[in-house]
């Protein structure tokens, strides 16, 4: 039985525990948080069954993907960045409007969110580039290849920013960290960050100053409005003890009320604020977790994401020197998931402006769940490969040590026998 479980759930056991815990939390909390969506259906359980279906699909994706060795699906993975780029180009013109931006496109009856695919695509692409350079070159990256990489990153981030600024920010920061780990010169990375800050600042400043409302500039006012609203909250709290809940702050205020209720947890399925939080099942699901399970539920959720990063670091270190691509891929995917999780939780606790990021593997969503599952499948696949390789290396060294001990014992016995014969002969001669 244990052998069967090991074959089904390959790779890092602790990481599997975290994944199954997140899926279990998602199933339990969604039964409560999805209530606002349930009211819109004749069958109130229909949204929950739909989410449960997506959870099982996510688990199936992890189980299938992690069975393949990275080298066997490497060429297939390289198709993901190409597909992602095409989808990012097509979505603004052919996509469906979601919260004021074109974020999804329907192909063959399936709704695809291009920015979700880009989260994995850009990590795969840069893991390949940096891994190739680290494997074949024994010197720091030159300026020319770095400029090419920066150009590719700029194109992806610009196309993602049209749909969601926070996602573009996450991808940019994760990629910069991958460059740093991939031994790219620190001064090059700082220069890239400086150029991006200057260009983005000029673009946003000009768009806001001249009230340009074409294409991507339509989103500028939304970004600035969210930041202004976040910066103004402290001043409003000091000026007046009375807090007015309006359409602008409704989400975040109800989230704060839910977290305050968490001082005395109401228990599973008893959340009150879920009925007032329009996005209780996605952007603000962390607030519902705290309201129902209190501080311990909130801390436990945070620890799960920290463990993901810690285990990814261990898996990356286990990769051989010539497996730099696999190592960087694991780190990049884990950083992506954990960064998104902490941004989501910071929004729910009002430690940052509203961004629209979901809580990975917990929030409701088909495409986001499947993309996160793909990331975990790749990480576990590399972990399983490392584990099998280490076990083979240990097994190969064990017989050698046994063989080395046998001659030593035989040799010692022979020497003892020879000494005994010499003593016997000496006694005979004396007689």
């Amino acid at each position: 039985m244990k052998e069967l479980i090991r074959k089904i759930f390959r790779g890092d056991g602790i990481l599997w525990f975290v994944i199954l815990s997140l899926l279990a939390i998602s199933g339990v909390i969604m039964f409560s948080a999805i209530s606002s969506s349930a009211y819109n259906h004749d069958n109130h359980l229909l949204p929950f069954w739909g989410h449960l279906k997506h959870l099982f699909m996510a688990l199936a994706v992890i189980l299938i993907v992690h069975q393949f060795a990275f080298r066997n699906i490497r060429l297939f993975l390289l198709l993901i960045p190409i597909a992602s780029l095409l989808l990012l180009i097509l979505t603004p013109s052919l996509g469906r409007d979601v919260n004021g931006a074109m974020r999804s496109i329907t192909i063959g009856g399936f709704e695809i969110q291009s920015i979700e695919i880009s989260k994995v695509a850009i990590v795969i692409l840069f893991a390949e580039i940096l891994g190739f350079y680290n494997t074949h070159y024994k010197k720091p990256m030159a300026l020319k290849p770095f400029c090419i990489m920066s150009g590719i990153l700029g194109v992806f981030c610009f196309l993602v920013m049209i749909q969601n600024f926070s996602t573009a920010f996450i991808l940019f920061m994760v990629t910069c960290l991958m460059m740093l780990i991939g031994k790219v010169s620190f001064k090059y990375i700082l220069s890239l960050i400086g150029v991006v800050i200057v260009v983005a600042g000029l673009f946003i400043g000009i768009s806001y100053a001249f009230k340009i409302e074409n294409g991507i500039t339509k989103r500028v006012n939304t970004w600035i409005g969210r930041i202004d609203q976040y910066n103004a909250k402290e001043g409003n709290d000091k000026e007046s003890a009375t807090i007015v809940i309006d359409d602008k702050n409704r989400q975040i205020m109800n989230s704060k009320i839910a977290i305050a209720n968490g001082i005395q947890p109401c228990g599973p399925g008893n959340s009150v604020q879920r009925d007032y939080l329009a996005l209780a099942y996605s952007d603000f699901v962390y607030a519902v977790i705290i309201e129902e399970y209190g501080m311990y539920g909130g801390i436990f959720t945070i620890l799960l994401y920290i463990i993901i990063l810690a285990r990814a670091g261990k898996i990356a270190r286990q990769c051989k020197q010539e497996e730099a691509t696999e190592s960087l891929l694991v780190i990049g995917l884990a950083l992506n998931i954990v960064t998104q999780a902490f941004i989501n939780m910071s929004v729910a606790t009002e430690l940052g402006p509203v961004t629209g990021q979901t809580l990975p593997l917990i929030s409701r969503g088909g495409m986001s769940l499947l993309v996160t599952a793909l990331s975990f499948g790749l990480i576990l696949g590399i972990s399983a490969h490392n584990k099998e390789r280490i076990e083979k290396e240990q097994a190969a060294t064990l017989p050698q040590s046994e063989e080395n001990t046998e001659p030593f014992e035989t040799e010692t016995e022979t020497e003892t026998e020879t000494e005994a014969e010499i003593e016997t002969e000496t006694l005979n001669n004396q007689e």
Side-chain angles (χ1 to χ4, degrees), residues 170-186:
I170 292 172
L171 292 181
F172 178 76
M173 294 310 299
V174 167
T175 308
C176 286
L177 288 172
M178 289 178 66
M179 289 182 186
L180 188 62
I181 297 169
K183 301 177 182 178
V184 175
S185 175
F186 188 60

Side-chain angles (χ1 to χ4, degrees), residues 277-313:
L277 277 165
L279 297 174
Y281 50 79
S282 58
D283 295 13
F284 293 93
V285 67
Y286 186 66
V288 180
I289 291 174
I290 295 177
E291 184 181 15
E292 293 191 353
Y293 299 93
M295 179 182 66
Y296 297 109
I299 292 174
F300 180 69
T301 305
I302 292 173
L303 286 175
L304 289 177
Y305 289 107
I306 293 174
I307 292 171
I308 290 172
L309 197 58
R311 301 311 294 179

Side-chain angles (χ1 to χ4, degrees), residues 394-408:
Q394 290 175 348
T397 56
L398 187 61
Q400 291 179 3
S401 58
E402 289 177 355
E403 287 173 7
N404 290 337
T405 55
E406 286 178 3
F408 177 78

Side-chain angles (χ1 to χ4, degrees), residues 60 73 82 91 107 113 126 129 131 151 157 177 188 204 246 255 264-265 270 314 341 353 359 395 430:
I73 58 173
I82 299 171
T91 299
I107 299 176
Q113 292 182 323
F126 274 75
I129 295 172
C157 285
L177 288 172
Y188 286 172
I204 293 172
D246 53 27
S255 177
Q264 294 182 337
N270 295 319
K314 181 179 180 181
L359 194 57
Q430 288 176 357

Side-chain angles (χ1 to χ4, degrees), residues 74-132:
R74 195 167 191 168
L75 291 177
F76 170 76
L77 292 176
L78 287 174
L79 296 175
I80 295 178
I82 299 171
S84 174
L85 185 61
L86 291 173
L87 288 170
L88 287 171
I89 294 170
L90 292 173
T91 299
S93 57
L94 302 177
R96 185 173 67 89
D97 187 283
V98 179
N99 295 329
M102 297 294 183
R103 293 178 181 173
S104 65
I105 185 171
T106 304
I107 299 176
F110 294 96
E111 190 173 301
I112 300 173
Q113 292 182 323
S114 55
I115 57 172
E116 292 295 336
I117 298 176
S118 67
K119 293 175 183 178
V120 174
I122 200 164
V123 172
I124 292 172
L125 182 60
F126 274 75
E128 285 287 352
I129 295 172
L130 292 168
F132 177 83

Side-chain angles (χ1 to χ4, degrees), residues 1-12 16 63 66-67 384 387-388 391:
M1 186 66 180
K2 288 183 179 180
E3 191 63 29
L4 179 62
I5 293 173
R6 285 185 63 185
K7 286 182 179 180
I8 297 173
F9 299 97
R10 299 167 65 242
D12 191 278
W16 264 116
L63 289 171
H66 95 297
Q67 294 291 337
K387 197 172 181 180
E388 290 168 3
E391 287 176 355

